[in-house]
Amino acid sequence: MSEALTPETPEAVLDEAADEAGEEEPIKQRKNGLYPGVSDELADSMKSGWADTELRGLTPIAQAGYTAARRAALSARFPGERLVIPAGNLKTRSNDTEYPFRASVEYAYLTGNLTEDGVLVLEPSADGHKATIYLLPRSNRENGEFWLSGQGELWVGRRHSLAEAEQLYGIPASDVRELPAALKEATGPVRVVRGYDAAIEAALTDKVTREHDDELRVFLSEARLVKDEFEAGELQKAVDSTVRGFEDVVKVLDKAEATSERYIEGTFFLRARVEGNDIGYGSICASGPHACTLHWVRNDGPVRSGDLLLLDAGVETHTLYTADVTRTLPVNGTYTEIQKKIYDAVYEAQEAGIAAVRPGAKYRDFHDAAQHVLAEKLVEWGLVEGPVERVLELGLQRRWTLHGTGHMLGMDVHDCAAARTETYVEGTLEPGMCLTVEPGLYFQADDLTVPKEYRGIGVRIEDDLLVTEDGNRNLSAGLPRRSDEVEAWMASLKG
């Protein structure tokens, strides 16, 4: 990684840059640079000789109509109030390197813009609200910002001009550097989505309340419970790429055996980065007894023939919608008798859960249906004393089932998390909702309450379901689930 030129900038150039950019301090210098300074001749040279790269006649982003409708719904919910939704800022990973940026879900949902430091502001007006998107403009070439600042475009790449942003997102755009001062002077009721931009929150510190801000976050979370047509399409794209990622993994299991779970993680990540923005969450590549650790993301263990591989992974699209799919695969392509017994029980439970996903059903129904099957199996196998109703009432099956059977899915892998309990867990399914169905059985390696042959076996099967007018559509149906079909699919991929 090359070294920024910032530390050698002469004070005169730095002060000029600060004045023109409206900053309180000059561009920060980096310690221990190699150049003694920037000559006046070089500074003058860098100001000129650059082509006009402004983009004109841009086509709006595909979801522009949908984001406008979402903003209109938000406006109707909070009439007469100023609403502030930040994208967030870069976060330091170490010293002067940053984590890859991911815009806040609330901001991306309402704008479609994914760049750091952006802020959406809805100003109350006579007929609702006027929306403005505040962004960093193009780097200034006159004051040297574009090549002297560590976040200048020469270092991190071109960004859209404000005029270009207006064309793309269908929202008037302004310079975000002017926003904190304007918000400090703002009057009237204000709400802000907290936790993303400290400078914006500081500007509003005497104008907002935690209670009102929480209501804004809850509304935006519940607005995402039902996906529109664009969102459903993006979720299908995410799942389709994820299916291909699972196929990639099966094809290289021999290489994973020669190395570790990391080979599986890296293989899936390649698909996610080639076809999408990233992985939607840390991939769980759990082989052998690691499958019994629900969120095994270290992925540093061995991959052995005869063991099961629990792969829980999802591709995130360029618009930030993620898949969340799990398959439990025999590393050598064939389930053992005990593995198949446990796998088939989980499959049967998932079938019951999927059948319960339909409009008008209670959200909890799919969980209850799957848990009933798993409790029946545990009683049948003599691992817990029945009857089944007693097991479920006391939650005794949870020693081996551990987690809930699913969750909402969307721009967050656990989407809509801030929604009220009465509209989510205690709510009713509607067409357009997207959720996972993912029962599992996990027999820990040190569990002395089960026969030895069960220990160290963990199985989860997870699919992404879109609620339709007459039932549901399994977005991840491209991956086989039944044990014999899984074996045939793996054999076909291995040639």
Side-chain angles (χ1 to χ4, degrees), residues 67 70 104-112 223-224 231 321 411:
T67 55
R70 298 166 194 166
S104 75
V105 166
E106 294 85 356
Y107 175 86
Y109 177 75
L110 293 168
T111 66
R224 301 198 309 275
E231 293 178 290
Y321 289 86
M411 298 182 86

Side-chain angles (χ1 to χ4, degrees), residues 389-401:
E389 288 68 25
R390 167 185 170 273
V391 173
L392 293 169
E393 181 181 355
L394 298 177
L396 301 180
Q397 84 285 358
R398 292 180 62 187
R399 180 182 177 103
W400 302 285
T401 66

Side-chain angles (χ1 to χ4, degrees), residues 55-72:
L55 304 176
R56 298 170 179 84
L58 295 176
T59 301
I61 60 172
Q63 66 268 45
Y66 295 98
T67 55
R70 298 166 194 166
R71 294 193 299 273

Side-chain angles (χ1 to χ4, degrees), residues 17-85:
D19 291 340
E20 293 191 27
E23 300 169 349
E24 294 182 1
E25 299 180 357
I27 298 171
K28 290 184 179 180
Q29 301 185 57
R30 181 182 293 177
K31 189 177 181 181
N32 293 321
L34 295 176
Y35 284 100
V38 175
S39 68
D40 291 340
E41 289 81 2
L42 176 57
D44 288 340
S45 172
M46 294 298 286
K47 290 181 181 180
S48 61
W50 304 103
D52 177 11
T53 60
E54 181 74 8
L55 304 176
R56 298 170 179 84
L58 295 176
T59 301
I61 60 172
Q63 66 268 45
Y66 295 98
T67 55
R70 298 166 194 166
R71 294 193 299 273
L74 176 60
S75 172
R77 171 61 180 82
F78 298 104
E81 301 186 53
R82 180 179 284 103
L83 307 174
V84 182
I85 302 94

Side-chain angles (χ1 to χ4, degrees), residues 376-385 400 449-451 454:
E376 286 178 338
K377 297 297 182 182
L378 293 168
V379 171
E380 177 187 326
W381 298 341
L383 302 183
V384 65
E385 182 181 348
W400 302 285
T449 70
V450 300
Y454 286 73

Side-chain angles (χ1 to χ4, degrees), residues 347-387:
Y347 171 78
E348 187 177 329
Q350 194 199 28
E351 283 283 273
I354 290 175
V357 175
R358 58 182 179 274
K362 291 294 184 183
Y363 174 82
R364 301 184 63 96
D365 287 353
F366 76 95
H367 168 73
D368 292 341
Q371 290 292 300
H372 196 281
V373 172
L374 294 178
E376 286 178 338
K377 297 297 182 182
L378 293 168
V379 171
E380 177 187 326
W381 298 341
L383 302 183
V384 65
E385 182 181 348

